[in-house]
Amino acid sequence: MLTLIIVLFIVLLLSSAPIAIVIGLTSIAAISLLTNVPLRVIPQQLFAAVDSSSLMAVPLFILAGQIMTVGTISDSLIKVASHLVSSLRGGLAIAAVLACAFFAAISGSSPATVVAVGGIMIPALIKRGYHQNFATGLLTSAGSLGIMIPPSIPMIIYALIMNVSVTKEFLAGIVPGFVIAAFFIVYSAVQAYRKGWDAPERTNAWELLIAMKRGVWGLLLPVIVLGGIYGGVFTPTEAAAVSVVYALFCELVFYRSLTFKDLPKIARESAILSAALLFIVANASCLSWFLASQQVPNKVALYIGEVVASRWLFLLCANLFFIFLGTFMDIVSAMIILCPILLPMLQKFQIDPVHFGIIMIVNIEIGFLSPPFGLNLFVASGLTKQSLIAVARAVLPFLLIMIFALLLISYVPQISLWLPDLLVK
């Protein structure tokens, strides 16, 4: 009977059914056929999964990201970044990475970062003489920083399912996020130097000052949101609400790039994205409940404990497994289902769950860039009108950089834990 459930899951997955439907139908089949539990437990678990104050931050951060994507905050951040590094060879490519890092710190969404920054920077890079494949690959990959540099929607979900502090998880993502950004910057500078792209330009201090003056409102948002969280002024959920109010103020009052007529469309698109994500979370939590009720985590931990004898080997196997899963399914759903199963192994090998959360976030970033399911690939394909295969090829060098960063972050835990250990007692 269990084999039948596994076959059903695989068949539904290969049928291209939405991942939430795949997980939900598998949960119903498993509970119906393998237990005596009444089916009314399913709606109860679906409701319980999303009945969380921490999870309220997800739709609010999505709404804030949508407001800034449609508005001009992203444009002002790009201008600041461009003026800061224009005197360097490959300055525009470096500015693109910095702009993604800036926007990541206010949006919490990888696809939103690709749309907001890539829509402006990919044509600008091509116009400056960069190869189209390089420009597409860089922005598609750097956009993944949207879920590494806090606030991050997957971090909130991970902290919820693993019962760790959202604040500590946010802090843990800052250094790894900038490490990955630094790798992209070095690679971009080397490529620009080798191929003669984008000669340095003299920095105009007056233009930089004007760009900083106009961009200061956008630059203040991560300071207000993250400073408020880490300073104990408000919770992550309250910070999400603050980010919405602040983004609306900037776009409606200061930049005046939006009008009240734009808000219903923005709210509708945000509601659709939020509902889709929360529906996945609810269904995956239902399946996780079934697995826990059948003591699957303990059985898996016992089996892995017999096969895997070291912490080093466990981290390698976990990373390889999640990279493999990311090629054909939503890795966020995989994280929701599998992380509770792996929790006993984290305890056995004394792996900090906050550190493992950052490892999972990097795996999600890689999943966003891995065909055929990678969401960033679809977003970039729509932006550039290139085929999915062409975008996947353009991303390949950056994907290898991401895998190297994953190994570094996995085996040097202080990259993730230094900042939360320093600031959170």
Side-chain angles (χ1 to χ4, degrees):
M1 195 67 74
L2 181 60
T3 304
L4 179 63
I5 300 298
I6 296 172
V7 170
L8 173 64
F9 180 83
I10 295 173
V11 169
L12 288 171
L13 197 62
L14 295 177
S15 69
S16 299
I19 188 66
I21 301 300
V22 173
I23 298 171
L25 290 178
T26 303
S27 303
I28 293 172
I31 293 172
S32 301
L33 300 176
L34 301 180
T35 72
N36 294 321
V37 176
L39 285 180
R40 65 173 176 268
V41 76
I42 293 175
Q44 292 172 352
Q45 289 300 318
L46 291 173
F47 178 79
V50 295
D51 184 23
S52 166
S53 59
S54 297
L55 209 55
M56 287 172 58
V58 172
L60 289 171
F61 275 127
I62 289 175
L63 178 57
Q66 284 290 112
I67 292 168
M68 291 178 288
T69 301
V70 176
T72 60
I73 286 181
S74 58
D75 185 47
S76 62
L77 294 177
I78 289 169
K79 288 180 180 177
V80 172
S82 298
H83 285 296
L84 284 173
V85 293
S86 61
S87 60
L88 302 175
R89 167 73 71 173
L92 194 62
I94 297 171
V97 178
L98 292 177
C100 286
F102 288 157
F103 194 79
I106 56 178
S107 72
S109 169
S110 178
T113 305
V114 176
V115 171
V117 183
I120 298 170
M121 292 301 290
I122 291 176
L125 285 167
I126 295 172
K127 186 177 180 180
R128 188 70 70 89
Y130 289 86
H131 195 282
Q132 183 177 13
N133 285 348
F134 175 85
T136 302
L138 176 65
L139 269 299
T140 306
S141 306
S144 65
L145 294 171
I147 61 168
M148 175 57 75
I149 299 174
S152 164
I153 293 168
M155 280 185 189
I156 296 171
I157 296 172
Y158 175 86
L160 182 67
I161 63 176
M162 295 294 278
N163 195 29
V164 299
S165 166
V166 176
T167 301
K168 290 188 72 173
E169 201 65 48
F170 278 2
L171 281 169
I174 293 174
V175 175
F178 282 104
V179 166
I180 295 171
F183 286 159
F184 286 160
I185 286 173
V186 170
Y187 177 77
S188 299
V190 170
Q191 288 294 95
Y193 179 80
R194 287 180 57 223
K195 299 185 178 181
W197 294 332
D198 198 8
E201 296 180 355
R202 189 188 311 180
T203 302
N204 187 312
W206 179 249
E207 291 181 357
L208 173 60
L209 184 62
I210 293 173
M212 291 285 289
K213 182 179 179 181
R214 181 166 176 78
V216 68
W217 295 97
L219 293 170
L220 277 176
L221 182 54
V223 175
I224 294 171
V225 172
L226 300 180
I229 294 173
Y230 305 146
V233 179
F234 36 68
T235 66
T237 303
E238 292 167 343
V242 169
S243 70
V244 172
V245 174
Y246 186 84
L248 279 173
F249 171 78
C250 289
E251 300 292 4
L252 290 172
V253 177
F254 184 76
Y255 295 118
R256 297 182 181 178
S257 57
L258 297 179
T259 66
F260 285 101
K261 292 181 180 179
D262 299 315
L263 299 185
K265 181 181 178 182
I266 292 173
R268 183 169 60 252
E269 292 176 353
S270 301
I272 292 171
L273 288 172
S274 301
L277 181 57
L278 293 178
F279 190 50
I280 293 173
V281 171
N283 281 281
S285 297
C286 189
L287 183 58
S288 295
W289 175 86
F290 164 76
L291 295 173
S293 70
Q294 300 301 302
Q295 296 187 324
V296 172
N298 294 334
K299 294 175 184 177
V300 171
L302 185 63
Y303 173 75
I304 295 177
E306 294 173 354
V307 176
V308 179
S310 70
R311 179 176 182 270
W312 185 92
L313 186 58
F314 168 74
L315 287 173
L316 179 62
C317 292
N319 282 324
L320 290 174
F321 182 56
F322 277 108
I323 288 173
F324 169 72
L325 282 180
T327 61
F328 66 89
M329 74 175 293
D330 177 13
I331 198 70
V332 177
S333 302
M335 175 185 74
I336 297 169
I337 297 170
L338 296 176
C339 278
I341 296 176
L342 296 175
L343 182 58
M345 299 308 300
L346 302 185
Q347 296 167 344
K348 176 181 178 179
F349 292 117
Q350 297 182 334
I351 299 171
D352 193 309
V354 173
H355 172 224
F356 193 72
I358 300 305
I359 294 173
M360 287 305 313
I361 297 301
V362 181
N363 272 292
I364 293 172
E365 289 184 312
I366 292 172
F368 277 143
L369 304 176
S370 302
F373 197 85
L375 183 56
N376 280 18
L377 302 180
F378 288 99
V379 173
S381 177
L383 278 176
T384 62
K385 309 304 179 185
Q386 291 179 273
S387 69
L388 191 66
I389 294 175
V391 175
R393 286 175 179 168
V395 160
L396 185 58
F398 302 94
L399 191 59
L400 296 176
I401 293 173
M402 291 289 298
I403 292 173
F404 173 76
L406 171 64
L407 294 175
L408 183 65
I409 291 166
S410 297
Y411 295 114
V412 187
Q414 283 309 307
I415 294 175
S416 305
L417 298 178
W418 171 74
L419 200 55
D421 288 346
L422 178 68
L423 298 180
V424 180
K425 304 298 181 184

